[in-house]
């Protein structure tokens, strides 16, 4: 595949960084090159982490500040986007389906200043707010707000549903707990999309705010969101119940849902 979704875990099997890797070299004669997409807030920390494992290998790890990343969503057929790339291949470095799930469309990487309307004729340029609202609606976690480093567990975060966890790969840091949970454990909590009864002020809900059932029992914790949409780590047993959280002394109602793109046998 042209792109892979992956995670860096700590020894306790908890997420440190979520990344998308893009393969740039096309022939055996070319020097292997991998482009790595990450949360911009952890750019320096991730570089330092990767360099710890470089040892004596001749590997260069440098930021690509001359590139721009775009998320492409479309109502058209996937073939139409692919054909656009063949017409403007000199402007688009990479155009590939998002490796996490089909509902996230495509990832496009260009040189800074590229003309998007030439690469994908008839396209409309939205903003990052549109993108984040779309992924919260679909229940797609991304970056350190949704996957707090050293806190988020990969299976509770649905990373296996998004091709972000391998159960056949050889040993890796954090594998033991992840594999054990997958093979013999029951996953009682998962990240789910949530919708509030009304749009909320930006960043008005602190990360980790407790979500309660109608009887006042803890159902989980809020992670992050935009407007009336967000994502929360909830007990599956409480997912269909009326839920709420306390915000500045007021009770704010919310509802959780199971994303349609989840595997049909996702009851575990």
């Amino acid at each position: 595949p042209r792109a892979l979704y992956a995670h860096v875990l700590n020894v306790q099997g908890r997420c440190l960084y979520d990344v998308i890797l893009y393969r740039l070299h096309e022939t055996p004669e070319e020097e292997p090159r991998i482009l790595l997409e990450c949360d911009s807030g952890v750019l320096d920390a991730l570089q330092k982490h990767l360099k710890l494992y470089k040892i004596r290998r001749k590997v260069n790890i440098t930021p690509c500040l001359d590139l721009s990343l775009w998320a492409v969503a479309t109502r058209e057929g996937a073939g139409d986007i692919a054909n656009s790339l063949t017409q403007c291949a000199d402007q688009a470095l990479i155009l590939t389906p998002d490796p996490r799930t089909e509902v996230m469309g495509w990832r496009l990487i260009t040189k800074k200043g590229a003309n998007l309307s030439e690469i994908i004729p008839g396209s409309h340029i939205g903003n990052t707010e549109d993108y984040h609202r779309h992924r919260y609606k679909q229940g797609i976690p991304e970056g350190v707000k949704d996957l707090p480093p050293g806190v988020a567990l990969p299976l509770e975060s649905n990373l296996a549903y998004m091709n972000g966890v391998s159960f056949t790969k050889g040993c890796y840091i954090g594998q033991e707990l992840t594999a054990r949970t997958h093979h013999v454990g029951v996953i009682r909590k998962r990240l789910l999309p949530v919708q509030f009864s009304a749009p909320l002020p930006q960043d008005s809900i602190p990360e980790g705010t407790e979500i309660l059932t109608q009887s006042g029992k803890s159902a989980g914790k809020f992670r992050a969101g935009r407007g009336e949409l967000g994502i929360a780590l909830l007990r599956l047993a409480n997912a269909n119940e009326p839920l709420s959280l306390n915000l500045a002394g007021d009770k704010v109602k919310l509802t959780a849902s199971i994303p349609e793109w989840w595997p049909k046998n996702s009851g575990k």
Side-chain angles (χ1 to χ4, degrees):
R2 190 74 185 273
L4 292 172
Y5 184 46
H7 292 79
V8 179
L9 306 180
N10 63 16
V11 293
Q12 288 82 29
R14 297 180 182 271
C15 299
L16 292 178
Y17 314 104
D18 63 314
V19 299
I20 296 180
L21 299 101
Y22 303 93
R23 178 170 53 87
L24 298 183
H25 61 287
E26 297 294 338
T27 64
E29 291 75 25
E30 289 187 77
E31 194 73 21
R33 292 183 298 154
I34 300 293
L35 185 62
L36 190 150
E37 172 193 336
C38 70
D39 186 325
S40 60
V42 297
L43 179 61
D44 292 339
L46 181 55
Q47 287 183 83
K48 292 177 182 177
H49 188 91
L50 294 175
K51 287 177 180 178
L52 289 176
Y53 299 94
K54 193 173 87 166
I55 316 297
R56 296 183 178 86
R57 298 284 183 177
K58 294 182 179 179
V59 177
N60 293 321
I61 302 172
T62 55
C64 300
L65 303 179
D66 60 332
L67 301 180
S68 293
L69 170 69
W70 304 86
V72 183
T74 179
R75 296 186 181 93
E76 311 288 334
D80 295 331
I81 299 180
N83 289 336
S84 297
L85 175 64
T86 61
Q87 298 166 14
C88 299
D90 57 327
Q91 294 194 58
L93 181 64
I94 289 176
L95 178 63
T96 185
D98 192 306
R100 297 172 292 186
T101 170
E102 288 184 4
V103 298
M104 290 305 293
W106 294 60
R107 308 300 273 185
L108 171 65
I109 297 175
T110 70
K111 292 287 187 179
K112 278 195 181 297
N115 190 329
L116 271 295
S117 62
E118 291 183 6
I119 297 175
I120 305 177
S123 60
H124 165 73
I125 298 179
N127 54 44
T128 55
E129 188 71 16
D130 298 328
Y131 170 74
H132 290 304
R133 285 179 55 82
H134 171 66
R135 67 179 186 81
Y136 281 133
K137 186 176 182 180
Q138 299 296 339
I140 305 292
E142 182 180 286
V144 295
K145 283 190 176 181
D146 301 345
L147 301 168
V151 175
L153 287 166
L155 300 188
E156 288 185 349
S157 304
N158 310 319
L159 305 185
Y161 292 170
M162 297 187 289
N163 308 304
V165 179
S166 173
F167 299 107
T168 58
K169 183 185 179 299
C171 293
Y172 54 87
I173 293 176
Q175 178 194 31
E176 184 178 353
L177 179 62
T178 304
R180 187 191 314 139
T181 304
H182 172 69
H183 290 295
V184 303
V186 175
I187 303 168
R188 294 184 172 86
K189 295 184 292 183
R190 285 189 180 274
L191 281 182
L192 294 176
V194 295
Q195 183 164 357
F196 294 94
S197 52
L200 301 174
Q202 184 74 12
D203 298 326
S204 62
I205 307 177
E207 177 192 320
T209 296
E210 196 167 35
I211 296 176
L212 305 173
T213 65
Q214 206 165 21
S215 63
K217 178 184 175 183
S218 176
K221 293 184 177 180
F222 178 79
R223 280 281 172 83
R226 303 285 176 108
E228 77 280 13
L229 301 173
I231 195 168
L233 182 66
L234 295 172
R235 297 181 187 278
L236 293 175
N238 304 123
N240 295 322
E241 298 181 26
L243 302 171
S244 65
L245 53 75
N246 292 320
L247 183 60
D250 296 325
K251 181 181 287 188
V252 180
K253 295 181 179 179
L254 60 97
T255 56
S257 59
I258 304 295
E260 292 185 2
W261 58 268
W262 277 20
K264 300 305 177 185
N265 60 344
S266 58
K268 182 179 177 181

